[in-house]
Amino acid sequence: MTPPNQAAATPDRVFRRTASIDPQKGVGAVARITAMCFRYPWRAGLAFAATVPAVLMQLAIPFILGRAIDQTLAADRDNPDVRALVLIALTLLAVSVLRGLFTLVQNYSAESVGHALAQDLRNAIYDKVQRLPFSFHDRTHSGDLITVGMLDLEGVRMYFSTALVRTLLLTLLIGIGAWLLLSTDVVMGLLALSFVPFAAWRSTVMRLTLRRTWLILQEKLGVLSQVMEENLAGIRVVRAFAAQDHEMAKFDASSKDALDYSHQRIDVRVRNTSAMTLAFFAAMGLVLLYGGRQVAAGEITVGTLATFLTFMTILQMPVRQLGLMVNAYARASTCGTRLFQLLDMPVEIDDAPDAKNLEVTEGTLRLENVGFGYQGASGQRAVSGISFEAKRGETIGILGAPGAGKTTLMHLIPRFYDPTEGAITIDGQDLRNVTLGSVREAVAIVQQDSFLFTTTIENNIAYAAPFTEERRIRGVADSAQLHDYVLGLPQQYGTVVGERGVSLSGGQRQRLSIARTLMTEPAVLIFDDSTAAIDAGTESRIRTALRGYATDRVTVIVAHRLASLKHADRILFMEDGQIVERGTHEELLALGGRYKALHDLQMHPEADVLEKEAPQ
Amino acid sequence: MSPSRRGEPRDPHDDGRPRMRAVVGSNRIEEDIFGRVFDGKVVSRIWKFVEPYRRRVWIAVAAVLVFTLSQLTIPLLIRYAIDHGMAPGAPGGLLAGIVALFGVAIAINYAASLVQERVTGQMAENVLFDIRRKMFGHLQHVSLSFMDKTEVGRLMSRLQGDVNSMQEFLETSVQSVGDIALLVGIVGVMLWLDWQLAGLVLMVLPVLFGVRVLWLAKARAAFMAAHEANSVTNNALAEAIHGVRAVQAMNRARLNAELYGELANRTYQAQLRASRLAQIMIPIVDSLTGIAMAVVVVAGGMMVASGRIEVGVMVAFLFYVQRFFDPIRSLTMQYSVMQRAMASGHRLTEVLDVEVDVTDAPDAVPLGPVDDGSVEFRNVTFGYDPAIPVLKDVSFAVASGERVALVGPTGSGKSSSISLIHRFYDVQEGAVLVGGRDVRGVTQESLGRHIAMVLQEPYLFTGTVMENIRYSSYWASDEDVIAAARAVGAHDFIAAMPGAYDAMLDERGSNLSLGQRQLLSFARALAADAKILVLDEATANIDSYTEMQIQRALQRLLEGRTGLVIAHRLATIRNADRIVVLQQGVKIEEGTHDALMAQRGLYSKLYDLNYASFDDIPDELTDADRATAT
Ligand SMILES: Nc1ncnc2c1ncn2[C@@H]1O[C@H](COP(=O)(O)OP(=O)(O)OP(=O)(O)O)[C@@H](O)[C@H]1O
Ligand SMILES: Nc1ncnc2c1ncn2[C@@H]1O[C@H](COP(=O)(O)OP(=O)(O)OP(=O)(O)O)[C@@H](O)[C@H]1O
Ligand SMILES: [Mg+2]
Ligand SMILES: [Mg+2]
């Protein structure tokens, strides 16, 4: 195993909005999204196919109008040719209807490609997020991941309709339109098109500027929302310190920053769009002046002039949309890069290629010289040189100061992290060589900092086995000493526990997370400091209820209260990531080391212990 | 990938109900995203936020009217150019003159659009930030019972989504003043140019309006369904992100992916339907435009031929026909923007109206340095739900400088009691006194300064260690912070972190061990330097040795301060002056350790249990005590 990778300098900023994006990668991302769109060849093909007639119909309209005007002017005053007019009108109507229908087909197929793509990506993102190991989630802010799953997904979804299809649409529209105008009258055509380069350029530059500023604004707003979110999540701390003013100041600072920036953005946008409209009208004025002279001179007809003017109106939209199109590409490239970065993130903890399921026979857990260091902890080991063995029915007790590495060690057993040194085996099978699912089935843990879901007590308990019978839920709740409490609630097992369990007391939260772990039938059961908020009486009842349960498996208990550990078959005392003392309660007392000191401290709580040891 | 090919989650008990428990995301019911089109109360509330920018609103409206006027003039000028400027016998300068006028019109158009868009955009943005600030500020004061019931994600969507849709509304509503003016203007000009032709063309208008109104009813339901499906799906994703450690520990990843697949598919279907409905309008509008143009061609053509109107009028008509569908389109769009905004506005005002039931009394006085650090409970009865009291008629007193411990089985109401000292909630009966004054009679701000708390659940903010310990106690110098960290024995591990006191903590301090987080939150309370220190299981996740060191350091630090300590590990409270024992919300014992041990009540039982091993506990004792844990 290679030591943890320290190369990724600031891994936690990978998903930040303004993370410098490698342009090469951006191209790659766009190519990849394009390829993904063609997973739906029929719909994509239809979208392109419908674009061509839609454009042709749209371009036909000015010509028909021009013909109509000329026809009218040419008409005989006393005996107007009504049939010819009606014919033109009907053509106009038919062309309009067809244009609408083709546009409908084009838009709908294009959007459906986007939605289908979004569905695939959503599933892929969800799956990835769930499978990425703890180490990834440790260094990634949840808000950033949520943005990838929502905003970046949108950016990629819109790509097909706003970038790809629009490219074809605009190329055809502007290309054919320009060609038609120029072939009708070169000078007037040039005049009419004179606004195009300016508008195209402005619009592109503006969109790209806006895109960049949008990313910066996003980041600023991200900071603001982090401030708000953490404030709301930690509202009790805020209240406890009467820190409202402090929090408002934090809010104002990031809010003002975002507001100022957003004003600048509006400025950029407004100046550019207005300038483009001005250019368009200016070109129209030129056409009017020049064309008017031509008409007066009898060189061209009024109908031709009207065709030109209508054309310009029709061209105005697509030329402005060039910017949108460029923007859609830019957006897809930044969003796509981030999204694929997530999707391509290697799942460091995953099934080995030919992994089989873990087969539990004896049920023996063994740790051999296990060591582990967190990424970014500059090579420091959180635990090292840990070896111990536990057979079915045995209980291992672990204790140590905060930061001694107990939780870290416990997290290695269900493979939340892989040890960087040594190996962990169950019945001789290295956990890294068997399927992850079977390891998680064989090892259950009550986490120290457990997360309760915002749902009912029942759903929380049955989280690991949602299809279980009602009876079992009650059974485990009873073992965890929760049943009586639940029965006292108005909605009993249907009571919603509030976000992360806020409406429960500390001990109730812990008992709920014990109960939900008891739903499983693991070979190794870990309690990571999971009775700290439970009084000794309740804890002892939990232990009594679990007596039978514990004979079938290895139990590992991390605790600070010695009573919780006293009867363990082996007690391990951890310090700075290493086991410094081990043995049974009696052996450790006889040893007269740290354990003994701790024991004396807890068992003889007379005030004089303090007095004696207090340095003066 | 296609979820339809994937099997349904296997359900071994085919009795129809067990699927209920297999869900991802909280199945909260999304509120209506569309409200009534006009809700006077909401509008007047929102207007309050706009009012400070009144002047800008008028400027924007004036600009938009000028803009519309110039828009209307342009086709007219073209008409004059065609009919008069280009006429065979027209004076030479006439065309140039008209084009010059055209130039003036477009310059005005440019200036007006510049002013209008900038003023509107910035005004809307300002209002948005003001509303958000007001809401955020309000949430800082609303009662905790509201916050307990409300998910953070939900509040965040108020602060962001709803505020944004208000902004959209403000921006577009100035625009729609322009749209209405444009529509009226176009109709007016057309009627003025030729009322008969105009009448013919305008016949399509009612049809268009009718179709759109019918369509809107259907489309709205579809849009709402798509929005709802999308937000349910996103909510499930957020849950997976926040709870990923629990998901992996309980091996739910595969099942969750299947469940999520169903949600994603539902979203997909709903969005397809919404897009179908959105797009269906295109051919309809196009057909109606076609009809209107056809009418102009036939009827107008005849009129031109018969000399009733000039050809320029017909050209102008063709221009106007193509233009007037735009404002109608955006007006009907505005209709749903407005409905959405009303719904959002309603939810915003809901947040703004959340009752602040814990407020400073009008005659509240600040607690100052002269006030002592005594705490007293006088016949306090309290319940989160008043019907279910959590504390029942509890009375006890803590003198200034005294150290009192609160002890009791889990769920007995210890944390709730200290929430009352800080007035997180108001009592239903009785009174809580701090410094000899009823907490309802002092300002909350000063109460906060008077009491420092270590909460049972350590919560840290993203930021440096220094920022976290100092938190809002701006008066604490760096040295004070370091002294506080030393006192709780956190200095050593902080110093070992890269950057020491400038080391960044991740979200909720997740790059620290739980005990270390607890130490920091302890240090934070010490740094606040308050008269009363409340410790709710402040050392539950800390070993006894470290705890003893903390207690030693505290002896000096707490000289003259009041201490209120909650602990399950009774060794923690050994040097308390007095012990108050709670059971199911009732104070059942009070006294010194020795007195309580002599009494042989609950405390002595708990105490014995703490030091015995669990395996030695006789069963009858366990049964007798069963009821104590709630
Ligand atoms: N925010 C809340 N909303 C509703 N009920 C609550 C809330 N907080 C606590 N409760 C309920 O009030 C009762 C007392 O809870 P409290 O947190 O005061 O207990 P505690 O003595 O601190 O217990 P522990 O030792 O487990 O922390 C419990 O039954 C709990 O479920
Ligand atoms: N996600 C993480 N990233 C980086 N460092 C970490 C992370 N989690 C823990 N650490 C560090 O690793 C060390 C061991 O932490 P661990 O959580 O294993 O301690 P512990 O023994 O469980 O302590 P406690 O009794 O407080 O729970 C600590 O110094 C801690 O700061
Ligand atoms: Mg730990
Ligand atoms: Mg509590």
Side-chain angles (χ1 to χ4, degrees):
Chain A
M1 284 247 111
T2 48
N5 173 23
Q6 285 130 26
T10 45
D12 50 326
R13 299 190 63 81
V14 168
F15 295 107
R16 282 288 145 96
R17 326 294 327 171
T18 45
S20 61
I21 303 277
D22 179 1
Q24 224 68 52
K25 250 194 198 158
V27 174
V30 169
R32 200 162 147 190
I33 303 171
T34 312
M36 289 177 88
C37 293
F38 286 97
R39 281 191 202 162
Y40 312 96
W42 287 107
R43 291 186 240 185
L46 196 56
F48 285 123
T51 307
V52 180
V55 169
L56 293 180
M57 298 296 153
Q58 171 129 5
L59 289 174
I61 289 174
F63 283 96
I64 302 175
L65 287 180
R67 286 255 326 123
I69 289 168
D70 287 344
Q71 180 73 39
T72 328
L73 286 178
D76 185 351
R77 207 183 167 90
D78 304 312
N79 184 20
D81 188 356
V82 183
R83 272 200 44 208
L85 275 181
V86 170
L87 202 66
I88 291 176
L90 285 180
T91 324
L92 193 59
L93 181 58
V95 166
S96 298
V97 172
L98 283 177
R99 177 180 77 162
L101 288 177
F102 282 117
T103 313
L104 165 80
V105 172
Q106 174 217 319
N107 285 357
Y108 180 66
S109 327
E111 286 194 4
S112 91
V113 169
H115 289 313
L117 184 64
Q119 187 190 1
D120 283 357
L121 288 173
R122 270 182 210 272
N123 283 320
I125 292 170
Y126 188 84
D127 191 51
K128 196 73 184 191
V129 162
Q130 283 199 108
R131 287 197 304 128
L132 279 166
F134 280 30
S135 56
F136 170 83
H137 290 284
D138 285 347
R139 54 179 207 264
T140 315
H141 198 281
S142 59
D144 291 340
L145 279 186
I146 290 176
T147 337
V148 173
M150 298 179 192
L151 277 183
D152 290 341
L153 183 84
E154 269 307 278
V156 172
R157 177 175 80 74
M158 302 290 287
Y159 168 76
F160 187 71
S161 54
T162 57
L164 267 192
V165 173
R166 195 176 268 159
T167 306
L168 178 67
L169 179 78
L170 297 187
T171 316
L172 286 177
L173 210 51
I174 297 175
I176 302 179
W179 177 70
L180 285 176
L181 281 179
L182 290 174
S183 58
T184 315
D185 186 317
V186 180
V187 183
M188 258 197 7
L190 283 177
L191 285 178
L193 292 174
S194 63
F195 79 101
V196 173
F198 175 77
W201 169 68
R202 276 311 326 155
S203 142
T204 306
V205 169
M206 169 189 76
R207 284 296 156 186
L208 290 179
T209 318
L210 284 184
R211 166 110 211 115
R212 195 169 45 75
T213 54
W214 188 77
L215 288 176
I216 298 176
L217 182 65
Q218 279 283 307
E219 175 133 2
K220 289 182 191 295
L221 289 174
V223 172
L224 179 63
S225 72
Q226 185 179 317
V227 166
M228 295 194 292
E229 189 171 352
E230 294 206 343
N231 168 284
L232 297 175
I235 195 77
R236 276 164 193 272
V237 176
V238 175
R239 300 288 171 88
F241 286 85
Q244 281 95 341
D245 291 346
H246 176 71
E247 291 289 323
M248 277 323 278
K250 261 207 277 193
F251 173 89
D252 283 339
S254 32
S255 173
K256 185 163 177 341
D257 196 25
L259 182 61
D260 288 347
Y261 201 78
S262 130
H263 277 185
Q264 282 177 29
R265 247 176 73 74
I266 293 177
D267 231 39
V268 172
R269 191 189 70 204
V270 169
R271 260 188 286 124
N272 281 293
T273 47
S274 302
M276 280 188 284
T277 314
L278 185 63
F280 164 74
F281 279 133
M284 197 179 238
L286 289 179
V287 170
L288 200 58
L289 188 60
Y290 177 81
R293 295 239 156 93
Q294 298 283 91
V295 172
E299 296 278 325
I300 59 168
T301 61
V302 174
T304 314
L305 182 61
T307 307
F308 265 89
L309 295 176
T310 319
F311 243 134
M312 289 185 68
T313 342
I314 288 181
L315 276 185
Q316 188 196 5
M317 262 343 264
V319 169
R320 278 177 165 219
Q321 286 187 350
L322 276 179
L324 282 181
M325 181 187 87
V326 173
N327 176 54
Y329 278 106
R331 185 165 170 209
S333 101
T334 39
C335 292
T337 308
R338 251 188 322 260
L339 201 123
F340 291 129
Q341 214 160 17
L342 174 66
L343 292 183
D344 296 343
M345 189 68 64
V347 178
E348 291 149 20
I349 298 187
D350 205 357
D351 293 347
D354 48 356
K356 289 204 234 345
N357 281 348
L358 175 71
E359 282 183 35
V360 181
T361 47
E362 299 295 307
T364 308
L365 170 72
R366 250 175 88 83
L367 279 81
E368 280 168 76
N369 198 26
V370 169
F372 174 79
Y374 285 101
Q375 269 182 41
S378 52
Q380 261 177 314
R381 294 264 174 280
V383 293
S384 59
I386 307 280
S387 304
F388 67 85
E389 191 186 80
K391 296 203 170 57
R392 174 175 284 161
E394 285 187 328
T395 299
I396 304 287
I398 298 184
L399 74 169
K406 306 178 293 296
T407 299
T408 307
L409 183 62
M410 294 304 104
H411 281 179
L412 296 177
I413 301 176
R415 269 194 92 193
F416 292 155
Y417 300 89
D418 270 339
T420 40
E421 290 152 19
I424 301 177
T425 60
I426 291 180
D427 288 337
Q429 304 153 77
D430 190 318
L431 297 185
R432 282 169 294 199
N433 299 332
V434 292
T435 57
L436 192 60
S438 64
V439 173
R440 302 265 160 90
E441 242 164 68
V443 182
I445 178 168
V446 183
Q447 281 166 294
Q448 190 175 21
D449 187 15
S450 63
F451 179 92
L452 296 180
F453 292 88
T454 317
T455 171
T456 60
I457 293 183
E458 181 179 7
N459 286 0
N460 264 301
I461 296 180
Y463 197 74
F467 302 120
T468 198
E469 296 134 28
E470 200 96 7
R471 200 156 36 82
R472 270 210 68 210
I473 297 180
R474 274 142 215 253
V476 294
D478 196 39
S479 302
Q481 306 300 310
L482 203 62
H483 186 63
D484 293 342
Y485 161 69
V486 175
L487 288 190
L489 294 169
Q491 290 169 338
Q492 307 206 330
Y493 282 90
T495 311
V496 175
V497 300
E499 196 164 27
R500 289 173 188 255
V502 274
S503 56
L504 299 176
S505 84
Q508 285 159 353
R509 271 198 291 272
Q510 287 198 328
R511 281 180 283 156
L512 186 53
S513 52
I514 292 175
R516 75 175 179 194
T517 308
L518 294 182
M519 284 303 290
T520 56
E521 288 287 343
V524 179
L525 177 60
I526 302 170
F527 292 96
D528 186 1
D529 204 5
S530 48
T531 51
I534 301 177
D535 61 288
T538 309
E539 186 186 353
S540 80
R541 280 193 299 281
I542 295 177
R543 292 289 309 283
T544 319
L546 291 188
R547 249 184 223 154
Y549 187 76
T551 54
D552 268 355
R553 59 204 89 242
V554 170
T555 310
V556 184
I557 301 176
V558 177
H560 292 297
R561 197 154 44 195
L562 292 191
S564 320
L565 302 172
K566 202 167 156 191
H567 271 251
D569 297 286
R570 257 182 308 294
I571 297 173
L572 314 176
F573 195 113
M574 288 186 68
E575 197 172 285
D576 292 336
Q578 283 169 324
I579 298 177
V580 290
E581 287 178 18
R582 68 171 80 204
T584 61
H585 177 67
E586 286 74 24
E587 287 165 5
L588 288 178
L589 283 187
L591 189 70
R594 297 172 176 84
Y595 183 83
K596 170 85 164 50
L598 207 66
H599 177 263
D600 291 348
L601 213 57
Q602 282 197 17
M603 291 301 150
H604 307 290
E606 286 74 37
D608 54 54
V609 176
L610 265 181
E611 307 301 296
K612 250 195 322 224
E613 296 192 26
Q616 290 306 318
Chain B
M1 262 287 142
S2 156
S4 53
R5 256 181 281 126
R6 255 202 228 129
E8 288 278 290
R10 289 156 314 282
D11 176 358
H13 309 285
D14 219 5
D15 61 358
R17 11 178 352 222
R19 282 268 342 234
M20 250 172 53
R21 272 186 234 117
V23 283
V24 286
S26 69
N27 33 1
R28 70 179 195 216
I29 299 143
E30 266 304 308
E31 308 84 343
D32 273 6
I33 55 164
F34 293 104
R36 271 188 292 162
V37 181
F38 191 84
D39 185 335
K41 274 210 290 276
V42 171
V43 171
S44 71
R45 285 294 286 278
I46 299 302
W47 176 249
K48 288 225 179 67
F49 289 97
V50 181
E51 199 145 32
Y53 305 102
R54 226 177 13 246
R55 247 172 45 101
R56 294 200 215 177
V57 174
W58 296 131
I59 294 176
V61 169
V64 87
L65 290 178
V66 171
F67 176 75
T68 313
L69 210 63
S70 64
Q71 289 274 53
L72 279 173
T73 326
I74 288 168
L76 277 182
L77 287 170
I78 294 176
R79 185 227 140 167
Y80 274 106
I82 292 177
D83 286 345
H84 303 291
M86 300 170 202
L94 186 57
L95 182 61
I98 294 173
V99 174
L101 274 181
F102 185 88
V104 173
I106 64 176
I108 293 174
N109 181 284
Y110 170 72
S113 92
L114 205 62
V115 170
Q116 177 244 320
E117 290 205 31
R118 179 181 308 180
V119 172
T120 324
Q122 299 188 344
M123 187 264 303
E125 199 86 353
N126 280 337
V127 171
L128 156 99
F129 275 77
D130 290 352
I131 295 180
R132 185 183 287 146
R133 183 173 195 281
K134 178 93 181 184
M135 283 167 67
F136 183 75
H138 187 67
L139 288 174
Q140 302 307 305
H141 298 278
V142 302
S143 59
L144 276 182
S145 37
F146 169 81
M147 299 299 284
D148 289 348
K149 283 198 293 270
T150 316
E151 286 168 75
V152 170
R154 208 190 181 99
L155 289 177
M156 288 300 288
S157 85
R158 299 281 180 286
L159 286 163
Q160 294 178 313
D162 286 333
V163 169
N164 287 342
S165 71
M166 272 329 282
Q167 180 195 17
E168 183 191 6
F169 166 68
L170 288 174
E171 266 187 36
T172 52
S173 54
V174 172
Q175 208 97 52
S176 44
V177 172
D179 283 332
I180 292 172
L182 188 61
L183 198 59
V184 171
I186 288 177
V187 172
V189 172
M190 289 210 297
L191 285 171
W192 172 66
L193 281 175
D194 188 288
W195 66 269
Q196 280 169 330
L197 187 55
L200 278 176
V201 172
L202 291 178
M203 281 199 312
V204 301
L205 262 191
V207 179
L208 183 64
F209 265 117
V211 170
R212 272 202 83 105
V213 166
L214 285 181
W215 167 82
L216 212 62
K218 258 185 127 50
R220 213 168 59 202
F223 292 157
M224 200 153 105
H227 173 91
E228 194 176 308
N230 188 43
S231 79
V232 166
T233 312
N234 283 343
N235 178 272
L237 176 67
E239 181 196 84
I241 292 172
H242 287 127
V244 66
R245 291 175 176 82
V247 169
Q248 293 195 4
M250 277 175 289
N251 217 2
R252 265 277 294 252
R254 190 168 312 146
L255 175 60
N256 281 1
E258 279 175 30
L259 296 169
Y260 184 79
E262 285 170 19
L263 291 184
N265 187 252
R266 202 144 24 114
T267 309
Y268 167 69
Q269 304 289 359
Q271 284 181 330
L272 272 193
R273 212 180 113 67
S275 353
R276 219 158 29 226
L277 271 164
Q279 298 299 336
I280 200 81
M281 213 48 211
I282 293 182
I284 296 177
V285 171
D286 277 357
S287 305
L288 288 174
T289 320
I291 291 174
M293 286 194 296
V295 167
V296 175
V297 167
V298 176
M302 303 279 290
M303 290 177 180
V304 174
S306 66
R308 268 206 50 214
I309 58 171
E310 281 155 301
V311 69
V313 174
M314 180 169 154
V315 174
F317 257 89
L318 287 173
F319 266 92
Y320 284 129
V321 166
Q322 290 177 55
R323 304 277 348 232
F324 85 13
F325 284 91
D326 292 341
I328 291 177
R329 197 177 345 216
S330 54
L331 276 177
T332 41
M333 207 87 95
Q334 173 69 10
Y335 181 78
S336 45
V337 168
M338 197 150 150
Q339 282 180 312
R340 208 161 44 218
M342 286 305 143
S344 290
H346 184 69
R347 287 195 294 269
L348 298 184
T349 49
E350 237 170 40
V351 171
L352 290 173
D353 290 343
V354 171
E355 225 178 306
V356 182
D357 38 18
V358 178
T359 45
D360 284 349
D363 53 351
V365 290
L367 273 175
V370 290
D371 291 291
D372 65 18
S374 67
V375 174
E376 189 184 346
F377 274 59
R378 264 190 211 155
N379 306 96
V380 169
T381 297
F382 164 74
Y384 295 93
D385 172 355
I388 313 171
V390 165
L391 294 175
K392 298 161 207 150
D393 196 23
V394 172
S395 303
F396 64 87
V398 183
S400 192
E402 202 183 11
R403 226 52 101 103
V404 169
L406 269 179
V407 172
T410 124
S412 55
K414 304 178 296 295
S415 302
S416 306
S417 313
I418 62 162
S419 303
L420 296 181
I421 299 178
H422 212 297
R423 215 182 154 210
F424 284 171
Y425 307 91
D426 270 339
V427 298
Q428 271 111 33
E429 277 168 44
V432 177
L433 288 79
V434 170
R437 298 177 203 265
D438 191 321
V439 289
R440 285 167 293 196
V442 300
T443 62
Q444 294 176 74
E445 146 92 302
S446 67
L447 190 63
R449 294 267 170 91
H450 211 66
I451 305 170
M453 274 184 148
V454 181
L455 298 166
Q456 190 166 10
E457 202 84 337
Y459 184 93
L460 299 175
F461 295 89
T462 304
T464 66
V465 173
M466 184 67 88
E467 284 164 4
N468 265 289
I469 299 182
R470 179 177 292 131
Y471 191 46
S472 63
S473 316
Y474 54 85
W475 54 87
S477 65
D478 285 4
E479 287 70 38
D480 294 338
V481 168
I482 294 172
R486 276 187 200 281
V488 299
H491 181 74
D492 289 343
F493 85 79
I494 295 172
M497 291 172 78
Y501 283 86
D502 292 328
M504 282 297 282
L505 299 187
D506 288 346
E507 204 178 356
R508 290 171 178 256
S510 66
N511 53 340
L512 294 178
S513 85
L514 187 61
Q516 290 169 335
R517 271 178 257 167
Q518 210 157 45
L519 292 178
L520 290 194
S521 92
F522 202 149
R524 178 170 63 193
L526 289 183
D529 190 27
K531 271 260 163 58
I532 302 174
L533 188 63
V534 177
L535 310 177
D536 188 357
E537 297 281 14
T539 51
N541 302 100
I542 291 163
D543 68 310
S544 302
Y545 192 74
T546 311
E547 184 186 349
M548 183 207 61
Q549 289 176 319
I550 297 175
Q551 292 202 345
R552 252 190 229 155
L554 282 186
Q555 296 227 299
R556 261 177 297 118
L557 272 172
L558 291 189
E559 209 62 56
R561 288 174 219 265
T562 310
L564 201 64
V565 185
I566 295 177
H568 283 301
R569 216 157 66 211
L570 299 184
T572 305
I573 54 161
R574 59 192 142 211
N575 45 2
D577 298 320
R578 216 145 33 84
I579 295 164
V580 173
V581 184
L582 289 178
Q583 184 182 22
Q584 295 198 318
V586 180
K587 186 187 87 174
I588 53 169
E589 293 164 25
E590 180 177 352
T592 61
H593 172 77
D594 295 334
L596 290 180
M597 287 306 282
Q599 213 172 314
R600 306 246 29 100
L602 180 63
Y603 177 78
S604 78
K605 255 185 235 165
L606 285 174
Y607 187 85
D608 290 342
L609 278 174
N610 253 281
Y611 301 106
S613 164
F614 297 138
D615 303 313
D616 310 333
I617 300 162
D619 280 347
E620 36 79 32
L621 176 75
T622 2
D623 285 338
D625 275 349
R626 240 192 129 74
T628 58
T630 52

